Amino acid sequence: MKKEIRILGIDDMPFSFGDSMVDIVGVVMRGGVYLEGVLKTSIEVDGRDATQKIIDMIFRTKHKNQIKVMMVDGIALGGFNVVDGREVYKKTGIPVITIARDKPNMEKIRDALKKHFDDWEERWNIITRDETHEIILEYPVYVKNYGLDMEEVKNIIRISTIRGAIPEPVRVAHLIATGIKTGESHGRC
Amino acid sequence: MKKEIRILGIDDMPFSFGDSMVDIVGVVMRGGVYLEGVLKTSIEVDGRDATQKIIDMIFRTKHKNQIKVMMVDGIALGGFNVVDGREVYKKTGIPVITIARDKPNMEKIRDALKKHFDDWEERWNIITRDETHEIILEYPVYVKNYGLDMEEVKNIIRISTIRGAIPEPVRVAHLIATGIKTGESHGRC
């Protein structure tokens, strides 16, 4: 795998109770270090449009043909707006990795979905349809992968991580998302 | 000079005719490569508050004591909201470099100021009070410097430039500013 591989990292901005929409930020980085582009789109808080909005964002960007893989911070953005990695990969042809620092608490997720959404089962099915893998490099991370085998996933994470657990494209998307929304970046992905 | 020096890069978002305010983006980078923080504040389009808003942004950030130098894209942000580098340096103690890819056309600037602002002379005086230096490394850039000698300025530009003429902190601030505002980053600083 080329060290200079283009990766799209995606994270959402913070939002407040009562917000109907939330912006999501995409960054295109060459390898783990060199920022080539910044993208933005908006999704509904707790909505169902994250998957399609990500697909649209990719088809719109001039970087589309360079992007070899995308990494999404977690399995949902803007609350419980679940990202269907299988669908994103199918429509764009670009492999998808969802990545989280902490092991997802599936029971807690199911309870929250049940409590808040009439369509909870549809969301739950997307979340649970594909396995979550624990990868331990310097730190553990939890990933779902679409269009890649686990060796490729490990290589991509290795190539694109400088310090800590989170690869640069997701870490940088997170810094931009929080910094632009609140005036100063903060927190962990 | 340490290669890992923290640099704050500043650029403004694009704005449209009729906008009264425009956001400016600050990025804190270690050396030329590693993003540590993203800041945002708002200034008036064609106003007089850019200098104070930058000072406020610096006093507010948790990165303040790490920032060793700041670089601003050009001599004004948000149209003709002139950045007084001398004042920013005096108030924050952090040296300031304004940097531009193209040689400023002073006659054109004066004509525009005269045409649009009753207080044009005050703005003109800030712009012309300190010399603009041409620096030719791989590409030429045009700088004003406050709190640094020219050798230090050259070193900082060398350390923080990866490709092209513009140092990473300003280049990255520009990509974020245009990407967040318009949905996809574009253009030259």
Side-chain angles (χ1 to χ4, degrees):
Chain A
M1 190 169 298
K2 276 174 61 185
K3 252 197 115 177
E4 297 277 284
I5 182 178
R6 256 74 161 199
I7 303 170
L8 171 65
I10 296 176
D11 201 1
D12 53 3
M13 290 198 185
F15 58 92
S16 306
F17 182 76
D19 290 351
S20 59
M21 303 294 288
V22 56
D23 288 337
I24 67 174
V25 175
V27 304
V28 180
M29 294 188 91
R30 188 188 309 181
V33 294
Y34 190 75
L35 184 66
E36 294 200 317
V38 176
L39 313 175
K40 193 198 70 172
T41 191
S42 297
I43 63 172
E44 291 170 25
V45 172
D46 286 336
R48 292 292 301 271
D49 61 347
T51 303
Q52 189 57 48
K53 287 297 187 70
I54 289 173
I55 293 168
D56 294 344
M57 184 168 80
I58 289 164
F59 274 98
R60 214 166 44 227
T61 172
K62 65 185 175 199
H63 299 282
K64 176 172 186 297
N65 295 331
Q66 278 74 53
I67 298 168
K68 295 296 177 246
V69 56
M70 77 190 82
M71 292 181 167
V72 182
D73 184 15
I75 50 176
L77 300 167
F80 283 105
N81 202 329
V82 178
V83 177
D84 185 343
R86 193 183 280 199
E87 178 76 4
V88 174
Y89 173 51
K90 191 176 126 194
K91 289 283 166 66
T92 65
I94 300 172
V96 177
I97 301 169
T98 69
I99 185 162
R101 188 193 293 275
D102 299 311
K103 191 170 185 168
N105 183 330
M106 297 312 285
E107 205 173 331
K108 210 169 142 193
I109 291 171
R110 188 169 57 181
D111 288 351
L113 288 175
K114 266 189 172 173
K115 188 172 165 193
H116 294 293
F117 302 106
D118 291 337
D119 64 355
W120 74 270
E121 270 184 302
E122 290 174 45
R123 299 180 195 237
W124 178 247
N125 287 342
I126 297 170
I127 291 172
T128 54
R129 197 179 48 199
D130 302 289
E131 204 183 335
T132 299
H133 303 271
E134 183 182 66
I135 296 180
I136 301 178
L137 297 169
E138 198 176 346
Y139 300 88
V141 290
Y142 298 87
V143 306
K144 291 178 186 289
N145 56 313
Y146 306 89
L148 299 165
D149 64 36
M150 285 307 293
E151 267 318 299
E152 292 172 311
V153 172
K154 277 184 205 169
N155 269 335
I156 289 165
I157 293 175
R158 246 186 233 114
I159 286 169
S160 61
T161 305
I162 294 182
R163 51 174 59 209
I166 299 299
E168 286 296 286
V170 173
R171 193 186 70 82
V172 167
H174 179 82
L175 289 178
I176 295 171
T178 56
I180 294 296
K181 182 70 176 200
T182 69
E184 172 142 12
S185 49
H186 63 268
R188 298 161 29 124
C189 301
Chain B
M1 189 169 299
K2 277 174 62 184
K3 251 196 117 175
E4 298 277 285
I5 182 177
R6 256 75 162 198
I7 303 171
L8 171 65
I10 296 175
D11 200 1
D12 53 2
M13 290 198 185
F15 58 92
S16 307
F17 183 77
D19 289 352
S20 59
M21 302 293 287
V22 56
D23 288 338
I24 67 174
V25 175
V27 303
V28 181
M29 294 188 91
R30 189 188 308 182
V33 293
Y34 190 75
L35 184 66
E36 294 200 319
V38 176
L39 313 175
K40 194 197 71 173
T41 192
S42 297
I43 63 172
E44 292 171 25
V45 172
D46 286 336
R48 293 291 301 270
D49 61 348
T51 302
Q52 189 58 47
K53 287 296 187 71
I54 288 173
I55 293 168
D56 293 345
M57 184 170 80
I58 289 164
F59 273 98
R60 216 166 42 228
T61 173
K62 64 185 173 197
H63 299 280
K64 176 173 188 296
N65 294 332
Q66 278 73 53
I67 299 168
K68 295 295 178 246
V69 56
M70 78 189 82
M71 291 180 168
V72 182
D73 184 14
I75 50 178
L77 299 168
F80 283 104
N81 202 329
V82 178
V83 177
D84 185 343
R86 192 184 281 199
E87 178 76 4
V88 174
Y89 174 51
K90 190 176 128 194
K91 289 285 166 61
T92 64
I94 300 172
V96 177
I97 301 169
T98 69
I99 185 162
R101 188 192 293 275
D102 299 310
K103 190 168 185 170
N105 183 331
M106 298 313 285
E107 205 174 330
K108 211 168 141 192
I109 291 171
R110 189 170 55 180
D111 287 350
L113 288 174
K114 267 189 171 173
K115 189 173 164 191
H116 294 293
F117 303 106
D118 292 337
D119 63 357
W120 74 271
E121 271 184 302
E122 288 173 46
R123 300 181 195 235
W124 178 247
N125 287 341
I126 296 170
I127 291 171
T128 54
R129 199 178 47 198
D130 303 289
E131 204 184 335
T132 299
H133 303 271
E134 182 182 65
I135 295 180
I136 300 177
L137 296 169
E138 198 175 345
Y139 300 88
V141 290
Y142 298 86
V143 306
K144 290 178 186 289
N145 56 314
Y146 305 90
L148 299 164
D149 64 36
M150 285 308 292
E151 268 317 300
E152 291 172 310
V153 172
K154 278 184 205 168
N155 269 335
I156 290 165
I157 293 174
R158 246 188 233 112
I159 286 169
S160 60
T161 304
I162 293 182
R163 50 175 58 208
I166 299 299
E168 286 296 285
V170 173
R171 192 186 69 83
V172 167
H174 179 81
L175 289 177
I176 295 171
T178 56
I180 293 297
K181 182 70 176 203
T182 69
E184 171 142 10
S185 50
H186 63 267
R188 299 163 28 124
C189 302

